[in-house]
Each structure stands twice: as structure tokens, then as C-alpha cells.
Amino acid sequence: VQNEYKDIVDGIQAKVGAPSSNSIRLTQNKKFVLPDGVESDGPIDVVIIGFTSRNVYYASQYNPSAITPPDCYAEGDNPSLMKPSENADIIQAEDCNQCPMNQFGSNGNGKACKNERIIAVLPAGEPTAEIMTLKVSPSAIRGFDTYVQGLATKYKVPSFAVVTQVSFDPSEAYPKLIFGNPTPNIEFREFGARVDETPLILAANFPPPSDAAIPGPQGGAKRGKGRR
């Protein structure tokens, strides 16, 4: 049935401007949920063909039953140079490094602004497959960064030159990701040819502000009426 009505579904998505989601989700009981709905305990073997950094800040408490865009967000290839997007509703600071919401202690012992890595992956052995995204939580960022940096410094190869094993940290109760066990990717050229597709896929797709800037909380500029 899904195959029969695929063109109709794609047409509906085009009419409302809703992009199809092709992300790998993580459940609280440590399972990977693939875009087709299949669940796996892992580990899963993927080829990392790109990644970006993203910071997201919500002024109100997160409500899983009422998903809304962040009040302020930023993204970029270099975390130390990131600045809030001009499309953010309530810009908190001129740059992320100086932002009070991006400092430890702004939310208990952690940060009010959530730092993430968004990575683009392909299934191992399938260089022509549809690109999927996988979100790396703040607690797993250091491990991910260390892993890809090790590929570049120790093996002198980009991430798409190897097959990466992604699993859950058995020492943690929550779904913290671990990246490791790289093996040579004999189809690295085919996978590398897909890298140019990743910037658009990795870019944030939050709705733009609806109105001109007006004063907002936290000393920032509010660029919309708010959608909470």
C-alpha cells in the first residue's frame, strides 16, 4: 500500500512544504528506530558522510506532546564560531560563546542551550541509499568528536573512508551513543561522491519568524510573536 500511494503522499508533502523525515531515532530503552520503522538493539554499521553542529535553546520547558521550534538556535561547522541564526525568534546573544544560556550552570549543572551534533549517514555497503540523519546528544559529543578526529589524525582518512559501528553505552541508563570499531570502506569513492548532498540535509528546517523584531526576554531581540 505504501508503494502504491507513494506519489500521492509525496505530492501532499510538497503542497504543505513538509519535508520527508529520514532520521534514525533513539528510544529511551536503547533501541535504534530506522526511518522505515524497523527497530534494532544495535550496533548498527554506517558510513558517516557529513556532520554539523547545532545549538538549540527553549525559553519554556520542553513538552513532547506539543513540539515547537526553539526560541534561539545556531548551526555551523565550527562550534567556536557559531552565532544565532537571524531566523531565531529570540536571539540570546551576539555569539554562542558569550551567550549566558550556553554556559554551564545556566540550567542546574548543565546548559540551558542544548549543544548537538547532527550527522549524515548511509548504511554500510549502500552508497546509493537515501541519506539518513542521526542526532548526537550533548553527553555523546566528546566521544564523537574524539572518534572523527582520531580518524583524521591517526589514520589520515575522512569519516566516509571507513565503516563505523554505532552502539549504546552499556554503562549508562539513557541512550548515549558510542562510535568506534572502524573498518576499511572499499567503496569510499562512491560514498565520498555523496558528501555534497549533506549541507541541505543537515540544515535546520525551523519555521522563519513571522513578524519584525520586537524586544524579547533575556535581553535578546524577539523576531516573531512566539509559537508556544
Side-chain angles (χ1 to χ4, degrees):
V1 173
Q2 289 176 333
N3 290 335
E4 183 176 350
Y5 292 113
K6 182 179 185 302
D7 291 341
I8 297 176
V9 171
D10 290 345
I12 293 172
Q13 292 176 334
K15 288 180 180 179
V16 299
S20 59
S21 174
N22 205 39
S23 62
I24 302 174
R25 297 185 295 108
L26 311 178
T27 66
Q28 288 302 311
N29 60 339
K30 294 186 177 182
K31 289 183 181 295
F32 295 96
V33 182
L34 303 179
D36 59 5
V38 173
E39 293 189 0
S40 170
D41 293 328
I44 59 174
D45 292 328
V46 301
V47 175
I48 301 170
I49 60 172
F51 63 92
T52 191
S53 297
R54 185 180 300 165
N55 298 335
V56 291
Y57 167 72
Y58 291 88
S60 58
Q61 187 173 2
Y62 173 73
N63 181 0
S65 62
I67 305 300
T68 59
D71 294 277
C72 187
Y73 69 94
E75 60 184 348
D77 293 332
N78 189 331
S80 64
L81 300 178
M82 289 169 59
K83 297 182 178 181
S85 169
E86 61 181 13
N87 289 327
D89 263 5
I90 311 173
I91 294 177
Q92 300 295 306
E94 291 186 2
D95 64 78
C96 294
N97 277 344
Q98 302 301 319
C99 180
M101 299 297 105
N102 196 35
Q103 309 302 319
F104 285 104
S106 57
N107 182 26
N109 293 326
K111 296 181 179 182
C113 184
K114 186 178 181 181
N115 305 148
E116 301 173 332
R117 298 284 186 274
I118 314 298
I119 66 177
V121 300
L122 285 166
E126 300 183 39
T128 61
E130 188 172 359
I131 297 172
M132 301 177 290
T133 59
L134 179 61
K135 187 179 295 184
V136 182
S137 65
S139 61
I141 284 179
R142 178 176 294 181
F144 173 76
D145 289 355
T146 299
Y147 173 72
V148 293
Q149 186 178 39
L151 294 177
T153 57
K154 183 178 180 180
Y155 299 108
K156 310 297 183 184
V157 296
S159 59
F160 61 79
V162 301
V163 174
T164 297
Q165 187 180 86
V166 187
S167 59
F168 293 109
D169 188 339
S171 66
E172 299 289 354
Y174 60 95
K176 177 182 177 181
L177 294 177
I178 295 178
F179 300 83
N181 297 327
T183 57
N185 178 18
I186 61 174
E187 298 177 285
F188 67 92
R189 289 187 178 86
E190 290 83 353
F191 281 90
R194 305 290 304 278
V195 170
D196 290 343
E197 300 175 43
T198 61
L200 183 61
I201 292 172
L202 293 172
N205 192 36
F206 303 124
S210 56
D211 294 317
I214 58 177
Q218 306 294 342
K222 184 172 178 61
R223 296 180 175 269
K225 290 183 177 180
R227 294 180 289 273
R228 293 186 302 280

